[in-house]
Amino acid sequence: MAQSTGKRPPVPAPASRGMARKLALALFVFLAALLYQQIQPPAPKICGSPGGPPVTGTRTKLKDGRHLAYLESGVPKEKAKYKIIYVHGFDSCRYDALPISPELAQELGIYLLSFDRPGYAESDPNPARTEKSIALDIEELADNLQLGPKFHLIGFSMGGEVMWSCLKHIPHRLYGVAVLGPVGNYWWPGLPSNVSREAWYQQLPRDQWAVWVSHHLPWLTYWWNTQSFFPGSSVIAYNPALLSEEDAMLMDKFGMRPYMAQIRQQGEHECLHKDMMVGFGKWDWSPMELQDPFAGGKGKVHLWHGTEDLIVPVTLSRYISERLPWVVYHELPKSGHLFPIADGMADAIVKSLLLGDDQ
Ligand SMILES: *[C@@H]1O[C@H](CO)[C@@H](O)[C@H](O)[C@H]1NC(C)=O
């Protein structure tokens, strides 16, 4: 039925104002979805899945169904006097195991087990990764491979930080631990602010930002480190400004690893970015409050750090060694970050751990 339209007011009718509001809302939702898509990491390319990279190494299956790829070296574990599990650092994999000389392995009877941390190389990502889950993974790995009730642990860099988690969560499984150039978390409870501030300002500004984002806005970590508007982490980008004199020489060795293409093959998010989100995330405990797990016993915790480390500042390790007097602290005045691969260092580290040579 036709109605008179002669008296319609010259402002938009309520119906079309509602329309404009709906359009604005649709536009907002569209932009938000677009933004969400931008900051969302892509799904990892799981090893052995259709279209994913092939499985080439030996793997063991954990209770939750994830696989860990591992590499054994030294003497066979049945004959070994010492069993050591090695935990690699950032942007590395099982092939980066501490280069203990075959002679020393034979002489002392060392079995060395190295594995890909979750999301690296051929180990499945762990979507529920925390500072604790890696310690439980290590325990399960040791049990799957029947290493017995106790073993030694060595961890480097990000894998060094993992050592504190193992001392916290699985101390009863350990004979002794070597912590090499460990990454520290500036927000650990119990760190005096002048100490964390001193360490913080030893980083390049772009790394301060990358670390700040991974702590305060972890959901933005993927975007932050893959966009090209702001500079992302220089550690991810192998910035030569982070190399001390000794590191610059060792980088010839470290930068030319033939298996490097494998390391990030499942996608950078589940390995590199998750490392940052967990390593610099919010922990509800602090290494500063750890008790000596070997009190009265034979085992020791050794902490090694290079004075000239420009990748992981020595400040936090120095402070931890003061707070925890039972930690045997070795500061290497001429070394940077990569000292574990310097000539002779691996054997020195292992001898001090297993024999207590230098105490
Ligand atoms: C932090 O402050 C304390 C107490 O004032 C001082 O003893 C210590 O040397 C300072 N540490 C650093 C790294 O500045």
Side-chain angles (χ1 to χ4, degrees), residues 90 158 210 214 225 236 272-281:
F90 191 68
M158 275 283 179
S214 62
N225 288 291
I236 293 181
L272 306 186
H273 304 160
K274 277 282 177 72
D275 259 9
M276 297 180 70
M277 291 156 67
V278 172
F280 299 115

Side-chain angles (χ1 to χ4, degrees), residues 4-60:
S4 165
T5 55
K7 292 250 163 81
R8 181 163 288 180
V11 293
S16 67
R17 232 186 287 143
M19 194 66 178
R21 227 180 282 136
K22 273 187 200 155
L23 265 173
L25 185 68
L27 193 67
F28 174 78
V29 169
F30 175 74
L31 288 176
L34 208 65
L35 190 72
Y36 179 76
Q37 213 179 23
Q38 286 283 312
I39 66 175
Q40 201 63 359
K45 301 187 213 62
I46 308 280
C47 271
S49 71
V55 175
T56 65
T58 321
R59 308 203 302 177
T60 183

Side-chain angles (χ1 to χ4, degrees), residues 37-45 222-223 226 266-270 273:
Q37 213 179 23
Q38 286 283 312
I39 66 175
Q40 201 63 359
K45 301 187 213 62
Y222 170 75
W223 180 79
T226 48
Q266 301 187 85
E268 290 183 11
H269 187 68
E270 286 295 336
H273 304 160

Side-chain angles (χ1 to χ4, degrees), residues 56-357:
T56 65
T58 321
R59 308 203 302 177
T60 183
K61 195 169 179 175
L62 304 179
K63 284 195 287 272
D64 67 3
R66 283 180 294 123
H67 297 86
L68 291 181
Y70 63 90
L71 184 71
E72 302 171 287
S73 60
V75 304
K77 66 185 168 211
E78 296 76 22
K79 295 193 185 143
K81 180 163 179 217
Y82 301 104
K83 293 165 195 147
I84 303 177
I85 301 182
Y86 181 79
V87 184
H88 68 74
F90 191 68
D91 205 6
S92 302
C93 71
R94 64 188 187 280
Y95 294 118
D96 291 303
L98 191 69
I100 301 172
S101 72
E103 296 76 28
L104 187 72
Q106 288 301 326
E107 184 193 325
L108 299 185
I110 299 168
Y111 161 86
L112 181 65
L113 173 64
S114 172
F115 68 102
D116 293 333
R117 288 198 283 110
Y120 278 106
E122 298 188 6
S123 283
D124 290 331
N126 179 5
R129 198 166 142 187
T130 62
E131 56 72 29
K132 183 177 186 179
S133 65
I134 183 68
L136 302 183
D137 284 357
I138 290 170
E139 182 176 35
E140 221 184 319
L141 172 69
D143 289 340
N144 283 6
L145 293 189
Q146 298 177 318
L147 297 199
K150 290 191 181 192
F151 44 87
H152 284 88
L153 269 182
I154 304 180
F156 169 53
S157 194
M158 275 283 179
E161 188 182 29
V162 168
M163 298 298 99
W164 305 126
S165 286
C166 293
L167 286 165
K168 165 87 176 169
H169 300 295
I170 56 166
H172 53 288
R173 304 300 308 269
L174 309 175
Y175 276 131
V177 178
V179 191
L180 315 178
V183 168
N185 183 318
Y186 305 93
W187 296 272
W188 275 331
L191 263 187
S193 57
N194 65 335
V195 174
S196 55
R197 206 176 317 122
E198 183 184 294
W200 180 258
Y201 286 109
Q202 284 168 37
Q203 305 176 100
L204 299 179
R206 57 188 297 178
D207 294 323
Q208 291 168 4
W209 276 109
V211 167
W212 190 92
V213 166
S214 62
H215 180 80
H216 291 287
L217 309 171
W219 46 272
L220 201 59
T221 307
Y222 170 75
W223 180 79
W224 185 267
N225 288 291
T226 48
Q227 50 77 36
S228 49
F229 189 68
F230 301 104
S233 159
S234 68
V235 180
I236 293 181
Y238 282 106
N239 187 334
L242 291 180
L243 298 179
S244 74
E245 210 175 304
E246 189 187 276
D247 281 349
M249 290 186 315
L250 292 171
M251 200 59 192
D252 291 345
K253 214 191 283 186
F254 194 71
M256 293 294 187
R257 296 167 292 163
Y259 45 83
M260 277 173 88
Q262 256 201 35
I263 293 175
R264 307 180 186 181
Q265 66 185 352
Q266 301 187 85
E268 290 183 11
H269 187 68
E270 286 295 336
C271 51
L272 306 186
H273 304 160
K274 277 282 177 72
D275 259 9
M276 297 180 70
M277 291 156 67
V278 172
F280 299 115
K282 298 184 169 75
W283 292 31
D284 56 11
W285 62 278
S286 164
M288 259 65 69
E289 63 200 38
L290 287 172
Q291 303 291 322
D292 182 2
F294 310 119
K298 274 198 347 210
K300 283 273 185 272
V301 177
H302 292 261
L303 172 58
W304 298 73
H305 216 120
T307 308
E308 295 186 6
D309 192 333
L310 304 179
I311 298 177
V312 178
V314 71
T315 311
L316 296 190
S317 286
R318 258 184 212 159
Y319 182 74
I320 290 173
S321 73
E322 284 167 23
R323 276 288 290 269
L324 307 178
W326 42 271
V327 166
V328 184
Y329 185 49
H330 312 251
E331 191 168 315
L332 304 166
K334 295 230 163 8
S335 295
H337 193 59
L338 299 175
F339 66 86
I341 60 169
D343 284 345
M345 273 310 297
D347 285 8
I349 290 164
V350 166
K351 277 197 215 162
S352 91
L353 176 66
L354 302 181
L355 309 176
D357 270 2

